[in-house]
Amino acid sequence: MTASTASGRATSSVDYACEARSTSKGLKRGLDVSVVIFALIVFLPLILTIVALLVLTQGRPILFRHHRVGRGGKVFPCFKFRTMAVQGDDILRRHLATNAEARSEWDETRKLKNDPRITPLGHILRKSSIDELPQFMNILRGEMSLVGPRPIVDDEVKYYGPHIQHYYRVRPGLTGAWQIAGRNDVSYSTRVQLDSDYVANWSFGRDLSILVKTVPAVLRSKGSY
């Protein structure tokens, strides 16, 4: 076998692998759009009910737009049903300033199990993950995917260290490896490892597996607060 022949075969193998991966990513985007359109039709009565309840119990605004870091480090508005008091930032600041235990929990996980900002209806929406339904819009806009690392805020980038480059390679997900592993009951360092492993070993089949496992994870509400 000549060197040129061997080189040609090696190049063909690389080209085939790249083509296969590109096709899988095309399927991923196709799955995102088709599932979201179907889900919007199915969940429309629920969405309208939630909107009505939010207006009656909390008033406007209905949606909360939070700046999150997406693919390539680009910041985008991540949509959720509003589950917190309008002056949430001020409430959190005062709470952390007077509660050392809460301050430590926030510094470690960027979450609070007993968050004083969350409204009574907001607790229900968060526990059931219904508050994240508006992220269907982010998926249709191409800012998110059904499966991927959960979108982070700018302050969380430092927790990823060198693994942030993995995070930047994909669209954040409505669900992902972190969700099916226990969400907020999992340490942040474990979350980073899960996200990095997902990106490094991504496959279309793995996305399907995570989607299937998300259903019982949501029903159990483990780590959801």
Side-chain angles (χ1 to χ4, degrees), residues 52-71:
L53 288 173
L54 287 170
V55 170
L56 291 172
T57 62
Q58 297 181 181
R60 298 177 184 276
I62 301 302
L63 293 181
F64 176 66
R65 298 171 178 83
H66 201 226
H67 289 163
R68 301 285 172 137
V69 180
R71 185 170 63 172

Side-chain angles (χ1 to χ4, degrees), residues 7 23 35 65 79 83 112 124 129 131 155 168-169 171:
S7 176
T23 299
V35 168
R65 298 171 178 83
F79 301 112
T83 60
L112 294 176
I124 297 173
S129 296
D131 65 313
D155 285 347
Y168 286 157
R169 284 171 54 189
R171 294 183 179 94

Side-chain angles (χ1 to χ4, degrees), residues 29-45:
R29 180 59 183 161
L31 179 70
D32 286 346
V33 174
S34 58
V35 168
V36 165
I37 291 175
F38 176 75
L40 283 172
I41 296 172
V42 171
F43 288 114
L44 183 58

Side-chain angles (χ1 to χ4, degrees), residues 11-25:
T11 301
S12 297
S13 298
V14 172
D15 290 343
Y16 177 79
C18 291
E19 183 179 349
R21 191 170 182 84
S22 177
T23 299
S24 294
K25 288 184 176 180

Side-chain angles (χ1 to χ4, degrees), residues 92-107:
L92 176 63
R93 192 178 302 110
R94 290 195 298 268
H95 183 67
L96 297 182
T98 58
N99 191 315
E101 185 176 346
R103 175 82 257 181
S104 177
E105 181 184 1
W106 178 261
D107 288 341

Side-chain angles (χ1 to χ4, degrees), residues 134-145:
Q135 287 166 29
F136 285 155
M137 291 188 291
N138 290 117
I139 294 175
L140 290 178
R141 286 156 53 116
E143 296 158 337
M144 291 180 60
S145 178

